[in-house]
Amino acid sequence: MVGTILHLLILFLLSPLLLGVVAKTKAFFGGRTGAPFLQPYYDLAKLFRKGIVFSDTTTWVFRAGPTVGLAVPILAALLIPFGGLAPPVSFSGDLILFVYLFGLSRFFTVASALDTGSSFEGMGAAREVTFSCLAEPTVFFAFIVLARLSGSLSLGGMFGRNLREGWTMGGSALGLILVCLFVILLVENCRIPFDDPNTHLELTMIHEVMVLDHSGPAFGMILYGAAMKLFVLGALVVRLALPWQTGSLPGDVALFIGGMLLLAVLIGVVESVMARLRLVRVPQMLIGTTLISIFALVLVLR
């Protein structure tokens, strides 16, 4: 029970901080002071204090989108280790549940966008579905590689104590998988160079266009859920990059939090030095990560 509470506290309290670190890093590269690290917390508090306004033309589907988008990262976080912290829930095959929990969230986000009847939001929904279909094979091939090296079909086993030994047996394959999962992290969280969470340019918008009609607490739930999704997927990348454990709970927690903050800085650096890809280049990039993950699978099957 203590481990579950600590797991959820880390998720709830630190998720918005990652967005603050990313924004601060981008401000540093831009020569600006930037907003404070805690600005995402202030924004969420402001949104949750506002009233709720829904269009009369929308149905319950539009209202369900933000709720599912907030609940899914919480459930997914229970299936993965946070650094050296074991996942509260673990069973053989939970990797499939992990992937399709986010598929469920995406379905409700897309459905709520289509429920508005706006062709503009429909455009973003079509782009979101297309890119997610191309990103999903990479995730599955990456998990197969990890399952092969760990001999486990649960995320707790794949990212558990044996991960360090996995680097010894298949370091080249895990290095390729690490790059692929970082790319998927950027795609799934609508970050540059694949999307820009701060843009409102019609020709380039993907995720943000789908949530334009949400406001107040509903929009706050969407932003909080997006921060948690970044944290959950980032936890996999950090665990893969830092497979060590200190042997003590405080040490493992500190190592994990430090890794997450470094990941946020890395995302900020990538967004500062790279331009946004043309939309036609995004599918090519995702197909490339799938091919790289297949090659990593071949390396561990030799």
Side-chain angles (χ1 to χ4, degrees):
M1 180 59 75
V2 175
T4 303
I5 295 174
L6 180 61
H7 218 79
L8 293 176
L9 280 178
I10 291 175
L11 176 69
F12 289 143
L13 297 179
L14 295 183
S15 295
L17 182 61
L18 294 188
L19 298 179
V21 174
V22 171
K24 200 72 174 177
T25 304
K26 292 170 68 174
F28 173 77
F29 273 80
R32 297 177 283 109
T33 302
F37 287 109
L38 300 182
Q39 186 62 45
Y41 297 91
Y42 304 147
D43 294 339
L44 289 174
K46 182 176 67 176
L47 289 171
F48 282 116
R49 285 197 301 268
K50 291 187 175 181
I52 299 179
V53 178
F54 290 116
S55 169
D56 293 335
T57 62
T58 57
T59 66
W60 66 270
V61 176
F62 183 77
R63 295 162 176 77
T67 306
V68 176
L70 181 64
V72 160
I74 298 173
L75 296 176
L78 298 177
L79 300 174
I80 64 170
F82 280 176
L85 292 176
V89 180
S90 182
F91 55 88
S92 182
D94 58 6
L95 59 95
I96 297 177
L97 175 63
F98 180 82
V99 173
Y100 284 108
L101 275 175
F102 286 109
L104 177 69
S105 173
R106 185 177 302 109
F107 171 80
F108 272 92
T109 303
V110 168
S112 64
L114 296 177
D115 193 51
T116 63
S118 166
S119 58
F120 190 35
E121 297 198 25
M123 175 200 69
R127 292 174 176 175
E128 174 84 4
V129 172
T130 301
F131 295 156
S132 64
C133 288
L134 295 173
E136 206 166 82
T138 302
V139 178
F140 273 117
F141 279 116
F143 283 168
I144 292 172
V145 170
L146 289 164
R148 170 72 177 179
L149 291 174
S150 65
S152 173
L153 288 176
S154 72
L155 292 170
M158 291 158 54
F159 290 90
R161 294 180 177 275
N162 295 330
L163 187 55
R164 187 177 177 184
E165 297 176 3
W167 276 98
T168 305
M169 295 185 294
S172 56
L174 288 183
L176 294 175
I177 292 302
L178 178 61
V179 174
C180 291
L181 287 182
F182 181 69
V183 172
I184 296 302
L185 170 74
L186 298 178
V187 174
E188 288 288 329
N189 290 282
C190 312
R191 312 300 308 192
I192 295 175
F194 303 101
D195 194 4
D196 188 350
N198 299 319
T199 186
H200 288 86
L201 180 61
E202 179 181 353
L203 294 178
T204 59
M205 288 174 71
I206 301 176
H207 181 267
E208 292 306 306
V209 70
M210 295 191 296
V211 299
L212 280 178
D213 282 334
H214 290 283
S215 61
F219 189 52
M221 292 168 70
I222 291 172
L223 293 183
Y224 202 9
M228 289 184 182
K229 183 179 180 180
L230 176 65
F231 194 92
V232 169
L233 296 181
L236 298 182
V237 176
V238 168
R239 178 58 182 165
L240 192 55
L242 302 173
W244 302 280
Q245 292 184 219
T246 63
S248 67
L249 183 60
D252 288 341
V253 172
L255 179 64
F256 173 68
I257 293 175
M260 292 299 294
L261 295 177
L262 286 177
L263 177 67
V265 172
L266 178 60
I267 293 173
V269 171
V270 169
E271 296 196 353
S272 299
V273 300
M274 290 191 68
R276 193 179 184 283
L277 291 173
R278 294 170 57 194
L279 279 177
V280 294
R281 299 295 184 195
V282 177
Q284 298 171 2
M285 188 82 173
L286 294 176
I287 293 173
T289 58
T290 300
L291 294 177
I292 291 173
S293 58
I294 293 174
F295 181 66
L297 178 60
V298 171
L299 289 178
V300 298
L301 290 178
R302 289 184 304 172

